[in-house]
Amino acid sequence: MSRSAAEQLEILRRGCEQITPEADLAKRLEESVATGRPLRVKYGIDPTGIDVHLGHTVPLRKLRQFQELGHQAVLIIGNYTALVGDPSGRDQTRARLTPEQVEANAQDYLRQVAKVIDLPRAEVRYNGEWFSTFSFLDTMALTSKITVQRMLERDDFTKRFRAEPSIPISLHECLYPLMQGHDSVVIRADIELGGSEQLFNLMMGRRLQELDEQRPQICMTLPILRGLDGERRMGKSLGNYVGVGMPAQEQFDRIMSIPDQLLAEWYELLTDIRSFPDNPFEAKKQLGVAIVAGYHGADAGQQARQAWENRFSKGQDPDEIPEVVLTESALTLPQLVKALNLAPSGNEARRLVESGAVNFGPDRTKITDPKATIELTDGLIVRVGSRKIARVRRG
């Protein structure tokens, strides 16, 4: 290990919400430096069919930090826990997946996660490797290691238990924390990473390791990243996300839309940059370049910034514009906006036109009359707001 334990601890603390117990982490890092034995750092994911976004990368970036410091990343693909469904942060039972869905999702997830961590250097394990061999007696032995009272201390179970019978707690859900904890026993984890809502599950790993006479793992929780709206956790269903697989320009454009109050949080959780400009506008540009460069290369980050500045500072259209073939000779402006996929519905297209959010042509003509008819010439460019654009191609 080229860095001292103190230097490693300073790096690893950054962006963490909680380290339990931190004194043990410091001690284990010192032992690692003295013996040359890498720590085994566990992070688990259930392949439930996600598109990895920046919110998912917060713990993954911490896992990569451990790799860069010389430790062993152990990525658990929960192909069996996914069949149960993690109740963390849920107010209802998760839908169960088939084994075929889980396997397809696992391959897709590994492809995406390789953009964040050094996957060839990681130890990738499927927890079906051990749970598929469990007998009923093995399951009973595992469930005997926790009481019902202790399980109901879990916040999301408590809320559902106190709510009403219409929000059930299925018995199989109680297996989930035990299964996640048993993963730590099998792979002999030194550290486990997870989101802030995962603390109960991570602490279960400590308990089961102690019962197995192992040294209990250190639990490191990371904050939940707020999305583009500046309020709710980032999520695809909320539309407030930036996907790691998005094209470079789309990533940059979305980052430029974040509220100013997110800057400190995003710099800390998504970059290694320790300070940023006081001017929020410039700070967002530098943030966008850093994040895009991380997924598409340094040149892509700078090119995305230049293209954004050409569009918004100099009023230029992007070099690449989505094209839609239309056979009509003329449409009302709302019909045109909808036909170009610039609005999800006719009503939304009408609202955008009436609010003045739509312009078209080289002169950026703006019409707010939803009944106005637009002649469809080949190559006509239509813009909605500052981020959506499309070109008409006559069929």
Side-chain angles (χ1 to χ4, degrees), residues 192-231:
E192 183 171 10
L193 308 176
S196 57
E197 82 286 357
Q198 281 280 316
L199 185 59
F200 184 95
N201 293 358
L202 272 56
M203 294 297 288
M204 183 63 68
R206 281 179 62 84
R207 173 179 174 80
L208 297 187
Q209 284 177 313
E210 287 178 317
L211 292 173
D212 200 62
E213 299 183 346
Q214 293 184 22
R215 283 207 303 181
Q217 67 186 16
I218 294 137
C219 305
M220 294 182 67
T221 59
L222 290 303
I224 302 300
L225 187 75
R226 289 182 292 171
L228 301 176
D229 56 7
E231 297 177 1

Side-chain angles (χ1 to χ4, degrees), residues 6-308:
E7 289 173 325
Q8 292 186 51
L9 185 59
E10 182 181 358
I11 292 169
L12 295 169
R13 272 198 196 109
R14 184 171 187 249
C16 278
E17 186 170 79
Q18 188 171 342
I19 302 175
T20 306
E22 186 168 330
D24 281 10
L25 176 59
K27 181 179 179 181
R28 220 166 288 193
L29 287 169
E30 289 169 358
E31 291 176 359
S32 176
V33 170
T35 63
R37 183 186 78 85
L39 298 180
R40 292 177 62 75
V41 187
K42 170 194 172 193
Y43 179 63
I45 180 70
D46 289 344
T48 52
I50 60 171
D51 288 327
V52 177
H53 56 61
L54 295 186
H56 297 122
T57 70
V58 175
L60 288 169
R61 280 178 47 80
K62 187 60 63 179
L63 188 63
R64 189 182 70 190
Q65 275 187 348
F66 274 105
Q67 286 186 302
E68 291 169 346
L69 292 170
H71 300 290
Q72 179 62 58
V74 184
L75 188 66
I76 302 291
I77 303 296
N79 59 328
Y80 261 57
T81 40
L83 299 175
V84 174
D86 184 7
S88 297
R90 303 286 290 191
D91 59 6
Q92 58 185 347
T93 302
R94 285 183 184 267
R96 298 181 66 185
L97 302 175
T98 67
E100 292 75 20
Q101 288 172 317
V102 168
E103 178 55 30
N105 292 342
Q107 295 307 311
D108 183 48
Y109 178 79
L110 287 172
R111 177 183 57 78
Q112 295 180 74
V113 82
K115 296 176 180 290
V116 186
I117 68 169
D118 187 345
L119 193 59
R121 285 177 50 210
E123 179 181 323
V124 179
R125 304 285 292 274
Y126 287 72
N127 63 11
E129 177 187 332
W130 41 92
F131 285 125
S132 64
T133 66
F134 259 45
S135 68
F136 187 68
L137 291 178
D138 293 326
T139 303
M140 284 202 300
L142 184 60
T143 57
S144 71
K145 295 178 180 180
I146 189 172
T147 65
V148 172
Q149 292 93 326
R150 180 74 179 91
M151 189 65 75
L152 286 176
E153 289 176 11
R154 184 188 176 109
D155 186 56
D156 30 52
F157 283 162
T158 300
K159 289 177 180 176
R160 287 158 65 183
F161 183 72
R162 291 176 177 171
E164 53 182 86
S166 62
I167 309 178
I169 302 172
S170 296
L171 191 57
H172 77 276
E173 293 181 271
C174 298
L175 289 174
Y176 191 96
L178 288 164
M179 293 173 74
Q180 183 171 333
H182 186 70
D183 292 345
S184 296
V185 173
V186 172
I187 62 115
R188 305 186 75 88
D190 289 298
I191 298 159
E192 183 171 10
L193 308 176
S196 57
E197 82 286 357
Q198 281 280 316
L199 185 59
F200 184 95
N201 293 358
L202 272 56
M203 294 297 288
M204 183 63 68
R206 281 179 62 84
R207 173 179 174 80
L208 297 187
Q209 284 177 313
E210 287 178 317
L211 292 173
D212 200 62
E213 299 183 346
Q214 293 184 22
R215 283 207 303 181
Q217 67 186 16
I218 294 137
C219 305
M220 294 182 67
T221 59
L222 290 303
I224 302 300
L225 187 75
R226 289 182 292 171
L228 301 176
D229 56 7
E231 297 177 1
R232 298 170 295 179
R233 67 184 295 164
M234 182 174 286
K236 186 175 181 182
S237 62
L238 299 174
N240 65 346
Y241 74 107
V242 179
V244 301
M246 282 179 173
Q249 195 62 57
E250 186 174 4
Q251 285 183 341
F252 189 91
D253 292 352
R254 290 192 176 215
I255 292 164
M256 287 301 296
S257 72
I258 68 171
D260 295 352
Q261 69 266 23
L262 286 189
L263 281 168
E265 176 183 326
W266 279 41
Y267 266 96
E268 180 174 65
L269 298 179
L270 301 175
T271 79
D272 297 323
I273 302 169
R274 295 302 182 97
S275 61
F276 53 88
D278 292 333
N279 183 310
F281 198 49
E282 179 60 28
K284 289 177 192 178
K285 291 181 181 179
Q286 292 189 22
L287 176 66
V289 168
I291 291 175
V292 171
Y295 297 109
H296 297 281
D299 289 345
Q302 292 297 336
Q303 289 168 4
R305 173 174 178 156
Q306 186 62 54
W308 190 93

